[in-house]
Amino acid sequence: MSASVRIVLLGAPGSGKGTQAALLKEMYGIAHISTGDILRQEMADETALGQKAAVHMKEGTLVPDGVILEMMESRLLSPEARRGWLLDGFPRTLTQAEGLASLMEGIGQKLDAGVILNVNPEIVVQRLSGRRVCESCQSVTNVGEMRPSAVCPLCGGALIMRPDDEPQVVRKRIAVFEDQTRKVFDYFRANYDVVDVDASRSIIEVTEALRRALDRYDHP
Ligand code: AP5
């Protein structure tokens, strides 16, 4: 893959965007820019942005577009993003999608492809109820098949549930996705190359499907 490839990963909450992005980042050596991860870090650091975001994230609603677009502009211009990037969790509204297009035009960058991870809602609910994050190394795992007392398989740290994975917040996030984010798929289909992937398969199978699909953007 080209060292300057630029990909947007689109999908419902729990479709596997973060899981696949972490693997693709390693595979291709490009920046993984996750709006959810950035906002959680801002919350942990108790910044003004984090405090603004916390209200929305706790409820499962979206952080205002203006806040997100300002945050993304600086990320796309950062040295880390010079070798290419993979966006995860952005854009989530038509305003954000149009904002990304004008941001890229302004800085002379071009998107290679949008990748849509397709899963049905039952799978999403099941995955999110089992998702756990390691308190020490922040890696994401799933306790579906594990003992209740399980610890992080990578570092042995304690596993915690993301507050917005509580069932009532998950329901809200899925409703927000259907209302505001699904239409972004159509925007991408109309404006960019789009790769559709069946993300209901195992993690390894999805990664392999992505690798095969993204090979076409390899310009050594
Ligand atoms: P964000 O953190 O972006 O959450 P999300 O989009 O809802 O996505 P998730 O992180 O829940 O799921 P994922 O698709 O990454 O799945 P994962 O790989 O972890 O956003 C959180 C909040 O921040 C939003 O609600 C909003 O408030 C705010 N926000 C963020 N971006 C914003 C924006 N652009 N605009 C406005 N507000 C914004 O996988 C889930 C689980 O399934 C894991 O346990 C994993 O191990 C497991 N799993 C993954 N793949 C598979 C597989 N193939 N088979 C079996 N298990 C799997």
Side-chain angles (χ1 to χ4, degrees):
M1 181 174 288
S2 142
S4 61
V5 73
R6 299 182 184 100
I7 304 273
V8 168
L9 265 186
L10 299 166
S15 55
K17 301 182 296 296
T19 301
Q20 296 301 330
L23 295 166
L24 294 173
K25 172 191 169 169
E26 289 305 314
M27 202 180 290
Y28 299 125
I30 52 177
H32 168 200
I33 303 175
S34 155
T35 42
D37 287 350
I38 297 169
L39 293 170
R40 278 184 286 278
Q41 188 59 53
E42 295 282 343
M43 278 169 64
D45 295 343
E46 298 181 351
T47 63
L49 169 57
Q51 282 164 9
K52 217 181 281 180
V55 183
H56 301 279
M57 293 176 79
K58 277 179 191 149
E59 289 175 357
T61 57
L62 296 182
V63 175
D65 289 331
V67 174
I68 296 290
L69 284 166
E70 193 182 328
M71 183 177 99
M72 288 306 283
E73 181 169 17
S74 61
R75 298 288 164 154
L76 293 179
L77 286 169
S78 71
E80 177 206 20
R82 214 172 285 143
R83 296 188 61 238
W85 40 251
L86 189 64
L87 305 187
D88 158 12
F90 171 88
R92 262 175 144 95
T93 63
L94 284 179
T95 303
Q96 290 182 19
E98 287 161 1
L100 173 63
S102 69
L103 257 175
M104 286 190 301
E105 200 182 337
I107 58 181
Q109 295 189 353
K110 196 176 160 299
L111 186 74
D112 286 304
V115 174
I116 299 181
L117 298 180
N118 296 294
V119 280
N120 65 43
E122 297 82 62
I123 289 187
V124 159
V125 171
Q126 192 187 4
R127 284 184 186 171
L128 293 181
S129 67
R131 173 166 57 187
R132 297 293 182 274
V133 182
C134 174
E135 225 169 11
S136 305
C137 74
Q138 307 301 315
S139 65
V140 174
T141 189
N142 204 287
V143 292
E145 307 284 311
M146 294 181 183
R147 295 188 318 277
S149 59
V151 293
C152 172
L154 294 181
C155 76
L159 296 177
I160 52 169
M161 191 172 190
R162 248 171 64 173
D164 62 347
D165 281 347
E166 294 294 342
Q168 75 280 10
V169 189
V170 166
R171 281 195 291 278
K172 179 67 185 176
R173 287 163 59 205
I174 292 172
V176 168
F177 165 77
E178 291 298 344
D179 185 48
Q180 300 189 53
T181 306
R182 195 175 279 285
K183 59 186 83 156
V184 175
F185 293 9
D186 298 330
Y187 175 91
F188 267 70
R189 290 189 202 287
N191 291 284
Y192 302 108
D193 264 10
V194 164
V195 171
D196 274 280
V197 172
D198 172 8
S200 59
R201 293 170 292 173
S202 73
I203 293 175
I204 292 172
E205 287 172 316
V206 176
T207 309
E208 185 48 28
L210 286 170
R211 197 193 55 73
R212 278 199 306 271
L214 296 177
D215 266 358
R216 83 179 80 156
Y217 302 103
D218 187 6
H219 312 296

